[in-house]
Structure formats: C-alpha cells, structure tokens
Amino acid sequence: MTILPVIPISPDQPDAVTTRRRPSMPPRHLADLDLAGRRSAVTGLGEPAFRAKQISTHYFGRLVRDAAEMTDLPAATRDRLTADLLPTLLTPLREQACDEGATRKTLWRLHDGALVESVLMGYPDRVTACVSSQAGCGMACPFCATGQQGLTRNLSVAEIVDQVVYLAGVAASGAVTGSPPRLSRVVFMGMGEPLANYPRVIEAVRRLTSPAPEGLGLSQRHITVSTVGLVPAMRRLIAEQLSVTLALSLHAPDDDLRDELVPVNQRWKVAEVLDAAFDYAAQTGRRVSIEYALIRDVNDQPWRADLLGRLLSGKLAHVNLIPLNPTPGSKWDASPKPVEREFVRRLREAGVSTTVRDTRGREIDGACGQLAAGELTHASAGGAAADAEVAQ
Ligand code: SAH
C-alpha cells in the first residue's frame, strides 16, 4: 500500500478532526446549476451570458477549476467567476493507494468539517469512481462501518458531482496505472443512502450525464445507484425514466434475517422491495444488481441460497456476492471459500446469473462497508464504506 502525499491537517484547522461545527450545506457551486441557471448567475455578476459556457467548459470539459488556467478569460473576470461559481467544496485530507495504484481512496473535508470518502478503481478497460451521497448514513446496517456512525448530513449536488470531476482529473493525469485515462463509470456506493438524498442524487446524475459543457457527458447506463430498498423512492426512480443501473442491497432473502441486517426492512419487506426492483428492471430493460454480502453462519446457508434462487429465477436480475469486509469491532466475518462456492453453485443451478465481487480497496479500508471517515484520528484515517464494482 502506498500513502500518497497528504495535505496536512494543520493545528489551525482543529475542526477538521476534533471539534465539529454544526453541519451545514455548502455555498452554491456551478455544478448545482444547469446551464440556464449558470447564465443567470453570470449575468447577475455583470458578465455576459456566454461566460457561463466558457467557465463550464473549463470545469466539465477540461476538468480545470483554477482561475490561473482559464487564460481565455480576462483576469478580473476569471477571478470574479471562480470566486462566485467555483467555491472550494472538497479539501483532500488524505489519499491512499493500493493494487499498485489501481485503487485510490480519497478522504475529503467538506466546508463545515464533515468528512466523506471516494474511491477510484482502475481496470484494464475502464475507470470507475465510487462516490458518497451523504456524510455518514442513517440506515444503521450493523455490518457496515458507515452505518455505525449515523447520518451527519446530505451532500449537495455539487459536492457529489465535484468528487467525480476531481477523480476524473486524477484519471486524466494518467495516475491510474494500467487503465484508460477517461473516467467512464460512477457507482453511488460510497458513504450514505443515495435514495435518502433523492432530489440531489437525481440532479447529480443529470449533471454527470448531460453533455459537456453542461455536464460531464457520462452514459446513464454507466452509472449505478445502490439502495437499501427505500420503496417509495425506488418507485419515484422508475418514473424518472432514466437508464441508470439499480443495485439493491438485499443481504438476506427472508424477512426475519433482513429485518436485522438491513433495518429498513422492518418498513419495506423483501417481497415489496424485490417487486419494486423488478419493476425498475422491466421499465428500463436493465438487469438489477442484487447485492449480497456473505457473512459466515449468518446468511450463507444453502437453504438461503435456494430461497434467493427461487425469488430471482426468471427475473432480470444478477447477484453480486460480496465477501464480507472487516469493519472495526464487528463480530462477523466472511464466509469460508467452500461455503461461498456452494452458494454460487446453488444460485446458478436456479438459473440466476451470479458473480463474486472483487474486494478492491480492502487494504486501505476502501472496500464495501469500510468507509467510516468519522473515525478519523490524527494518526489514521479510519475506513468508510465503499469498494464497489458492479459486474455488468
Ligand atoms: N446505502 C446504499 C449505498 C452503499 S453501497 C446501499 O446500502 O446500497 C455499499 C454496499 O456495500 C452495500 O451493498 C452495502 O450493503 C455493502 N456493505 C456494507 N458493509 C459491508 C461489509 N462490511 N462488507 C461487504 N459489503 C458491505
């Protein structure tokens, strides 16, 4: 594991680690606005409307946010525009890499001292960003480090988008060894429950997928939104007519166990949540990804594999098994490999397409369920929750 250069946490920023200010939403940023909104912001500053497109091209098209690099703009204009439309939202506190530079985790401090993490994962044919949608998480899943810390606040649209734009810049610099320089995929599998921050996440998806200079120009199909199963929000998502991939964190095929592993199941049961997921698949024509962390002697029994197989057989669904990643103080661990293999075998026998997710980022606590920036101390950044690659 390599620890990359760090912006030191200086004693004059004590709130970065020890005392926290009350969480508050950040200043407005270009990425919060569509192009029309940027035009009115720019004219409000006394600049001609076409400047909106120029500054958007710098940010989304060239991944540039530093006024000094915007040489097509008069100096006074660029200072005024960047001060108003490109406030600093994310300050990197620590960057860690593993897998010979192919996996990189960044810990950010937000303007109010809240901490979040993002993970960049390089593959031979693609680069994926795993981003956070909330600081902390209110869903309280007992096996997830982020779930243990509670919710601090929702991220703004621009705080979400800026993670991706920043990581796209890292990829473009050639820093992700053995991968193409263009970031092409985004998974909402970092900290937080994306559908609990619904309007901002949807707006962020729109920004990420609008063509430059309005947005980053990614394909909707290359974006995955993962949820614990907030059924009304899943239904709202169906109505948006987007073609993003939906991932459902199921983790148990029966209500007794799922009530415990994913507490929101006490509100929306397995049958209801799967119905919503299948309806999403029918509407988009895209397979839903069923996430299932295999926990030794908890949810890995052959009968549960068979039950899951019956629930998913013949449906537009794919199972992603995640070997449980260790989290601080957890009493649980991953299933032994033979148990995992038998689970896979039974699902496939039922005709359900199944893969086991790689455990990218484990060494740097950047894997699924390990992101928990709230535990940061001066000496070490505790993990937060996010490896995450959906096998397509
Ligand atoms: N809140 C959303 C987005 C987070 S995605 C959701 O739950 O879907 C992170 C994924 O990692 C989820 O599927 C989550 O259940 C899973 N996960 C959490 N803790 C984990 C752990 N310790 N090991 C493996 N997977 C874990």
Side-chain angles (χ1 to χ4, degrees), residues 88-248:
T88 299
L89 299 179
L90 310 172
T91 305
L93 289 185
R94 181 180 171 115
E95 296 190 337
Q96 292 168 276
C98 66
D99 304 324
E100 292 167 2
T103 307
R104 314 165 80 89
K105 180 174 84 165
T106 307
L107 169 70
W108 310 102
R109 184 168 54 80
L110 308 181
H111 83 110
D112 57 348
L115 301 172
V116 297
E117 294 182 293
S118 326
V119 185
L120 188 62
M121 291 165 292
Y123 299 85
D125 61 334
R126 65 190 190 280
V127 177
T128 301
C130 175
V131 297
S132 296
S133 55
Q134 298 182 310
C137 184
M139 298 297 125
C141 303
F143 56 92
C144 176
T146 314
Q148 295 316 294
Q149 79 180 44
L151 177 65
T152 303
R153 70 165 166 88
N154 286 324
L155 300 196
S156 69
V157 176
E159 283 173 323
I160 297 169
V161 171
D162 204 37
Q163 294 171 61
V164 182
V165 171
Y166 181 96
L167 295 179
V170 172
S173 75
V176 189
T177 326
S179 298
R182 187 171 179 272
L183 183 144
S184 56
R185 289 175 194 249
V186 173
V187 296
F188 283 84
M189 293 190 176
M191 301 172 83
E193 166 52 40
L195 296 191
N197 187 14
Y198 188 90
R200 295 183 192 88
V201 165
I202 297 301
E203 190 69 12
V205 167
R206 296 198 191 286
R207 213 66 81 229
L208 293 173
T209 56
S210 313
E214 175 149 74
L216 200 56
L218 300 179
S219 154
Q220 284 187 12
R221 291 186 297 172
H222 288 169
I223 295 195
T224 299
V225 174
S226 185
T227 180
V228 289
L230 306 183
V231 169
M234 291 167 78
R235 299 245 164 244
R236 246 176 112 183
L237 188 62
I238 294 173
E240 305 282 349
Q241 309 234 344
L242 295 169
S243 47
V244 298
T245 299
L246 181 69
L248 170 64

Side-chain angles (χ1 to χ4, degrees), residues 130-131 133-134 137 139 141-147 187-196 225-229 247-251 258 261-262 290-295 320-327 330 332 357 359 362 367-371 384-388:
C130 175
V131 297
S133 55
Q134 298 182 310
C137 184
M139 298 297 125
C141 303
F143 56 92
C144 176
T146 314
V187 296
F188 283 84
M189 293 190 176
M191 301 172 83
E193 166 52 40
L195 296 191
V225 174
S226 185
T227 180
V228 289
L248 170 64
S249 296
L250 193 67
H251 306 308
R258 194 166 192 268
L261 294 183
V262 185
I290 303 294
E291 312 295 297
Y292 198 107
L294 274 177
I295 313 176
N320 233 306
L321 296 173
I322 317 170
L324 187 81
N325 290 309
T327 57
S330 168
W332 288 320
R357 184 184 285 178
T359 48
R362 244 191 205 201
C368 287
Q370 293 185 306
L371 302 179
D387 71 299

Side-chain angles (χ1 to χ4, degrees), residues 33-109:
L33 306 170
D34 60 13
L35 209 43
R38 286 172 222 163
R39 273 194 213 101
S40 34
V42 161
T43 49
L45 290 172
E47 293 285 341
F50 67 84
R51 298 275 186 233
K53 207 163 173 181
Q54 282 179 306
I55 190 164
S56 301
T57 300
H58 283 296
Y59 180 75
F60 281 116
R62 299 181 55 223
L63 311 174
V64 158
R65 61 189 71 212
D66 179 1
E69 290 185 50
M70 303 181 184
T71 47
D72 57 335
L73 299 172
T77 298
R78 66 174 99 128
D79 289 344
R80 197 174 313 134
L81 290 185
T82 51
D84 191 74
L85 282 166
L86 292 172
T88 299
L89 299 179
L90 310 172
T91 305
L93 289 185
R94 181 180 171 115
E95 296 190 337
Q96 292 168 276
C98 66
D99 304 324
E100 292 167 2
T103 307
R104 314 165 80 89
K105 180 174 84 165
T106 307
L107 169 70
W108 310 102
R109 184 168 54 80

Side-chain angles (χ1 to χ4, degrees), residues 256-378:
D256 275 355
L257 181 57
R258 194 166 192 268
D259 280 351
E260 190 189 336
L261 294 183
V262 185
V264 81
N265 196 71
Q266 293 162 23
R267 183 98 172 265
W268 295 289
K269 297 295 175 190
V270 170
E272 216 181 332
V273 118
L274 282 177
D275 260 2
F278 298 150
D279 287 350
Y280 185 85
Q283 142 84 34
T284 56
R286 303 189 57 70
R287 268 184 342 184
V288 286
S289 182
I290 303 294
E291 312 295 297
Y292 198 107
L294 274 177
I295 313 176
R296 182 202 294 257
D297 297 333
V298 173
N299 63 355
D300 61 357
Q301 301 82 358
W303 73 265
R304 285 203 160 93
D306 293 341
L307 175 55
L308 185 60
R310 283 198 298 281
L311 293 174
L312 300 182
S313 169
K315 305 291 188 185
L316 207 49
H318 171 92
V319 175
N320 233 306
L321 296 173
I322 317 170
L324 187 81
N325 290 309
T327 57
S330 168
K331 53 185 181 197
W332 288 320
D333 55 24
S335 304
K337 284 291 155 191
V339 173
E340 178 186 292
R341 278 196 290 274
E342 180 59 11
F343 206 90
V344 172
R345 195 191 65 74
R346 283 172 183 260
L347 283 170
R348 289 190 179 149
E349 199 173 71
V352 177
S353 107
T354 304
T355 48
V356 178
R357 184 184 285 178
D358 68 8
T359 48
R360 276 297 182 97
R362 244 191 205 201
E363 289 167 65
I364 51 174
D365 284 345
C368 287
Q370 293 185 306
L371 302 179
E375 287 163 8
L376 181 87
T377 63
H378 265 276

